[in-house]
């Protein structure tokens, strides 16, 4: 899995986290726009800007199980904590756990099934409010190394969320407290193809050089249940009860070994939002990414990588800097 490029896609939650963050950004910008346009009819949506800081800590482990089966079986355990802070708008935390089994039908394939759970807590700052809720559902994964060059993977993630939201607003008659229940389902689909090139399958490539080209298709789908607040009023989400975001991303990553212990890497890529019904006031579907990394190798399956990535949208409406410290220790 590691050499073919599948281990990273299986263990990483960054792609799902990035899409969820995009959805939250779209929803929050629409809420702010709808609030302010009432008093500023000529409001230019391009003037609505914000700065977001986020931090993620994650551990993902595959633990072998001695079952006597002909093929290996692993217990998969993931724990992740993510913080997101958007000044003067919202602060939130999302905790996630995954538990499952991974089975290798052959030396070149795997299938995995498990249960995922998330808790999300948020504090609203553009008004006075907070939210809290839990989500549970299945996660399914599969991957296959097709040949010395190509590998393919798939992931499907389905969660059912139930929580509550409470806000306080100032009215001429005093402060009014409004509560409502929130229920939705979230589906995430990830399909990835990775082409892996090195001196073993490309004769002219120098030893120690590795090139990976990946193409990913991702789709995120939210479906909200009808909502009524404590005042008996129907509540609508900013973009209705069905939110959709789909992207296709293509990235080239190059790594060069420096002796037996160190390697340097670089990546260049682009993604395009081919489906998005939340594109106002943010409407910038093309994102470019460039990154560099340095890796310290301790032993096969044991390494430490420091990576920096810069994401920039074509129209300049969104940009992101990402710094990752990734420790991998497979025993």
């Amino acid at each position: 899995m590691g050499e073919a490029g599948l281990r990273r896609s299986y263990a990483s939650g960054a792609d799902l986290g990035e899409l969820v963050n995009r959805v939250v950004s779209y929803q929050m910008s629409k809420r702010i726009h709808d609030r302010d346009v009432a008093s500023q009819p000529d409001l230019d949506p391009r003037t609505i800007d914000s700065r977001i800081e986020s931090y993620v800590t994650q551990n993902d482990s595959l633990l072998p199980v001695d079952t006597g089966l002909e093929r290996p079986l692993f217990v998969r355990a993931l724990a992740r904590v993510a913080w997101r802070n958007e000044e003067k708008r919202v602060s939130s935390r999302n905790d996630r756990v995954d538990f499952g089994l991974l089975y290798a039908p052959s030396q070149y394939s795997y299938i995995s099934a498990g249960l995922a759970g998330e808790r999300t807590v948020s504090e609203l700052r553009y008004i006075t409010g907070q939210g809290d809720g839990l989500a549970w559902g299945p996660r399914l994964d599969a991957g296959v190394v097709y040949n010395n060059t190509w590998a393919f993977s798939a992931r499907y993630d389905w969660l059912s969320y139930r929580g509550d939201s409470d806000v306080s607003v100032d009215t001429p008659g005093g402060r009014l407290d409004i509560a409502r229940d929130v229920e939705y389902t979230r589906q995430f689909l990830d399909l990835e193809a990775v082409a892996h090139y090195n001196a073993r399958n490309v004769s002219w490539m120098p030893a120690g050089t590795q090139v990976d080209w990946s193409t990913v298709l991702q789709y995120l789908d939210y479906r909200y249940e009808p909502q009524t607040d404590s005042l008996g009023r129907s509540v609508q989400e900013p973009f209705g009860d069905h939110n959709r975001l789909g992207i296709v991303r293509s990235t080239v990553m190059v790594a060069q070994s420096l002796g037996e212990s160190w390697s340097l890497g670089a990546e260049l890529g682009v993604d395009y939002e081919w489906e998005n019904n939340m594109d106002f006031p943010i409407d910038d579907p093309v994102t470019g990414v460039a990154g560099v990394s340095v890796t310290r190798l301790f032993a096969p399956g044991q390494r430490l990588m420091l990576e920096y990535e810069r994401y920039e949208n074509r129209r300049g409406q969104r940009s992101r800097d990402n710094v990752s410290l990734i420790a991998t220790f497979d025993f």
Side-chain angles (χ1 to χ4, degrees):
M1 289 174 62
E3 183 176 352
L6 297 181
R7 184 69 175 96
R8 179 171 180 170
S9 62
Y10 178 74
S12 174
D15 288 350
L16 172 57
E18 162 62 6
L19 261 63
V20 170
N21 267 317
R22 289 195 198 189
V23 170
V24 173
S25 296
Y26 290 137
Q27 293 174 339
M28 188 57 59
S29 296
K30 182 68 161 57
R31 293 181 193 274
I32 297 298
H33 175 271
D34 291 350
R35 181 198 65 177
D36 293 347
V37 77
S39 58
Q40 306 174 54
D42 297 328
L43 177 66
D44 185 344
R46 291 173 297 180
T47 64
I48 301 175
D49 59 357
S50 67
R51 179 181 177 86
I52 300 168
E53 294 181 344
S54 59
Y55 305 88
V56 179
T57 301
Q58 174 177 306
N59 180 78
D60 187 292
S61 298
L62 290 175
L63 308 174
V65 180
D66 186 7
T67 61
L69 295 173
E70 181 180 357
R71 301 298 183 185
L73 180 70
F74 296 87
V75 171
R76 193 276 177 92
L78 175 146
R80 187 185 75 235
V81 179
W83 298 268
R84 184 183 191 274
N85 181 60
E86 189 172 357
E87 188 176 0
K88 298 181 180 180
R89 294 190 180 179
V90 63
S91 175
S92 63
R93 171 173 168 169
N94 177 272
D95 300 338
R96 178 179 174 113
V97 293
D98 285 17
F99 295 101
L101 294 175
L102 182 146
Y103 177 67
S106 73
Q107 186 178 353
Y108 303 102
S109 62
Y110 69 88
I111 54 175
S112 176
L115 179 68
E118 293 184 1
R119 183 188 180 190
T120 304
V121 179
S122 60
E123 176 188 355
L124 303 179
R125 294 173 177 167
Y126 69 100
I127 56 175
T128 301
Q130 56 277 324
D132 192 347
L134 294 172
W136 296 94
R139 171 178 171 173
L140 305 174
D141 293 84
V144 59
V145 179
Y146 181 71
N147 55 29
N148 290 335
T149 301
W150 287 98
F152 304 92
S153 67
R155 171 183 174 183
Y156 176 71
D157 197 285
W158 186 94
L159 291 180
S160 175
Y161 175 93
R162 291 189 177 186
D164 55 72
S165 175
D166 300 280
V167 299
S168 298
V169 296
D170 293 322
T171 68
R175 182 170 287 269
L176 181 63
D177 296 325
I178 305 172
R180 66 183 175 104
D181 295 331
V182 181
E183 294 185 30
Y184 64 77
T185 59
R186 188 189 76 198
Q187 298 182 78
F188 174 63
L189 177 65
D190 180 288
L191 303 175
E192 182 170 0
V194 182
H196 179 77
Y197 303 97
N198 56 28
R200 281 178 287 183
N201 59 2
V202 180
S203 60
W204 52 264
M205 287 187 65
T209 300
Q210 175 180 312
V211 177
D212 288 339
W213 173 68
S214 68
T215 297
V216 184
L217 179 70
Q218 297 172 337
Y219 190 74
L220 189 62
D221 179 283
Y222 285 82
R223 295 179 185 267
Y224 292 86
E225 293 297 322
Q227 304 170 32
T228 304
D229 65 22
S230 56
L231 302 180
R233 303 175 305 181
S234 177
V235 179
Q236 283 286 333
E237 294 299 319
F239 298 99
D241 60 3
H242 188 194
N243 298 167
R244 304 177 300 277
L245 179 62
I247 73 167
V248 59
R249 177 187 297 118
S250 190
T251 306
V252 175
M253 293 174 284
V254 180
Q256 176 63 53
S257 298
L258 303 177
E260 297 182 356
S261 300
W262 294 90
S263 68
L264 297 177
E267 67 172 319
L268 192 66
V270 62
D271 75 51
Y272 172 71
E273 295 178 354
W274 54 269
E275 172 72 80
N276 184 2
N277 69 335
M278 301 170 286
D279 54 354
F280 181 84
I282 300 175
D283 182 15
D284 203 347
V286 180
T287 304
V289 57
V292 292
S293 64
V294 58
T295 302
R296 175 70 163 88
L297 307 174
F298 300 100
Q302 301 182 19
R303 63 186 183 274
L304 184 68
M305 183 176 74
L306 179 65
E307 182 179 47
Y308 167 77
E309 296 170 304
R310 171 70 177 182
Y311 296 80
E312 188 78 36
N313 281 70
R314 183 171 64 89
R315 298 172 185 167
Q317 293 185 11
R318 177 189 284 120
S319 62
R320 179 165 66 100
D321 294 291
N322 188 67
V323 178
S324 301
L325 181 64
I326 302 172
T328 302
F329 291 93
D330 292 332
F331 299 96

